[in-house]
Amino acid sequence: MNDIVFKGIDTPNLRQLAVYEANGGYAAVRKALKDIKPDELIEMVKQSGLRGRGGAGFPTGMKWSFVPKVSAEPKYVVVNADESEPGTFKDRELMEKNPHQLLEGIILAAWAIGSHKSFIYIRGEFAHIAKILEAAALEAEARGYLGKNIFGSGFDLDLVIHRGAGAYICGEETALLDSLEGFRGQPRLKPPFPAVKGLYGGPTIVNNVETLSFVPFIVNEGPAAFRKFGTEKSPGTKIFSVSGPVKKPGNYELPLGTPLRKLLEEICGGMLGGHELLAVIPGGSSVPVWNKDYLDVPLDFESVAAKGSLLGSGGVIVMSSKTSMVAATLNLTRFYRHESCGKCTPCREGTYWMEKVLGRIHRGLGMPGDLELLLDLCSTLEGRSFCALGDAAAMPVRSSILMFRDEYEARIREAAGGKTPETAGSR
Amino acid sequence: MALEFKPAVVDECRKIISRYPQPRSAVLPLLYVAQREFGYVPKEAEALVADLLELPPADVAGVVSFYTMFHRQPVGKYVVQVCRTLSCAIMGGDNLADHLQKKLGIGPGETTPDGKFTLKWVECLASCGTAPVVQINDDYHENLTIQELDRLLDSLR
Ligand SMILES: Cc1cc2nc3c(=O)[nH]c(=O)nc-3n(C[C@H](O)[C@H](O)[C@H](O)COP(=O)(O)O)c2cc1C
Ligand code: FES
């Protein structure tokens, strides 16, 4: 456990440059700027098989290779530190405790694609973490890791830490770019992908905090060392953020392919007293929920997808018999309705109607046909909204009806009473 | 009297703007400056920001209204933000929310008559492993029980 990005994460004062350096920090940058050509670096990341840790699992090296070598417009590295997917809280710990590892990843990415300006887009609520990053960037600049002519290499890199202001959609990479340009954060049509036409129209790579934090290790130890962990198609380790009524919730870095049972029973110590496992959402709120029959699924991109869900951001939300699945689904649907940016009709209207119908089922006012209505609403969202938020909103609804239909039907049957059941998650 | 930024604040804003390839990108940071200076973002502050960025005020208003962290009305000294998303809700966040409404005698979006507290419901704060969580101004308070929350609020009174 904690083999790569969380290695030594609790070292006292790791935030300070001197401590980070004493633990081998910035060796990768020194090595790369001296001895590794940008193309070779991209090749290394490709060979490592590193895939994006922000949710989609897109191969990082391939993304970098889409950036044109020569561009009239400046190129940019943008870090997605929006961390707004419910159930996910890993980037926060990475930035709070080891900000220089991220900075090192950014410098390496910028070197690889030939960018001289980078941004960390951090969610607005992380005001205290933005300060930690600012302090780290100042230290790095004073030491010559950022700024002009880094170690006499002739390579310049300026870093700006930019706070968002409260909007889930700004985690979506193109909405993030619109927000960073000073507009309302609404998604853009893809293609063109940001790697070709991104920030201010220039080629831009957008990468998650965790993704970039892996790059120094890959440079120091080589792609093969990274591949020692994980599976053939999902190499390396990944941070899993576990929340809900388990004994030891928290962030754990594990090899991809670790079975869910091991994570929940061994590492998190099982359920809290008085709680019985009911359901697990394995990859952040935007992925299908499982009932308790899926404990033996290995947590890697392929295995989770083969079992009908997605690895997503690695936010593992555990629910117990004390939670009503109707209430939980209503909670998430309310979230998506609130966070829909309003740009496209299927998402804006679909999330509104799903919340209404779920709300009445929850309040004991459900009607026969409501489940069909909900599934129908899911169909109007899936693949038909402008960005993936619409798909995300449909996931909990469709999957929970699939997995927990009995609870929904019982509640609709009992509807005559019309009273609010005593369960959490309904607000 | 018309609202104005102090000269030092104008300098600060210009410095922020200079960090960006295009001035418009500085709209969120400048709005944060305005909120810090005035306690909230009144219409006139939108105009000040628009002026510095050479944008139509309506563009700035459009941005302000899109995000949840800018207050368009005055708020209390302490903005108490309760996470209501799933992990917090199932770990007791709902109870905290109910308790706060009773204790403060106000609903979400409202401010106590003494101007001390504003109550807000917010979405997942990326603190789900230490749920339930309440953010008061910039500070996170995690793993909260009702008793701890009471003690915390009393210490702020
Ligand atoms: C609605 C929505 C919200 C998202 N939120 C985040 C987020 O908070 N953090 C993140 O890293 N990626 C988020 N993503 C994924 C990004 O769009 C993008 O895939 C990611 O930043 C790419 O980086 P990676 O390849 O390193 O994972 C979100 C996507 C969608 C559709
Ligand atoms: S659900 Fe409350 S912090 Fe994530």
Side-chain angles (χ1 to χ4, degrees), chain B residues 100-127:
Chain B
L100 277 169
Q101 294 195 78
K102 277 193 220 119
K103 186 180 168 90
L104 300 176
I106 51 174
E110 294 174 0
T111 301
T112 51
D114 63 0
K116 265 278 165 79
F117 297 108
T118 297
L119 192 55
K120 258 180 94 173
W121 300 160
V122 297
E123 303 296 350
C124 182
L125 291 168
S127 199

Side-chain angles (χ1 to χ4, degrees), chain A residues 86-88, chain B residues 83-89 123-129 131 133:
Chain A
T88 315
Chain B
C83 173
R84 60 174 176 174
T85 314
L86 187 58
S87 299
C88 281
E123 303 296 350
C124 182
L125 291 168
S127 199
C128 331
V133 56

Side-chain angles (χ1 to χ4, degrees), chain A residues 117 164 180 184 200 334 427, chain B residues 19-20 25 32 62 98 123:
Chain A
K117 184 111 193 164
L180 183 50
R184 293 161 73 91
Y200 312 119
R334 180 198 44 65
R427 190 169 308 277
Chain B
R19 305 279 333 256
Y20 293 92
S25 279
Y32 276 121
D98 289 344
E123 303 296 350

Side-chain angles (χ1 to χ4, degrees), chain A residues 346-401:
Chain A
C347 179
R348 187 181 61 235
E349 299 295 316
T351 52
Y352 172 83
W353 283 105
M354 287 199 309
E355 186 191 11
K356 264 201 127 78
V357 176
L358 277 163
R360 77 178 177 223
I361 297 174
H362 175 70
R363 285 193 308 277
L365 300 168
M367 294 190 264
D370 272 359
L371 297 187
E372 287 63 39
L373 181 56
L374 280 172
L375 292 172
D376 200 44
L377 284 164
C378 288
S379 307
T380 61
L381 277 170
E382 290 156 347
R384 291 191 170 79
S385 51
F386 194 84
C387 83
L389 192 146
D391 301 272
M395 299 271 186
V397 178
R398 182 180 290 285
S399 62
S400 73
I401 294 177

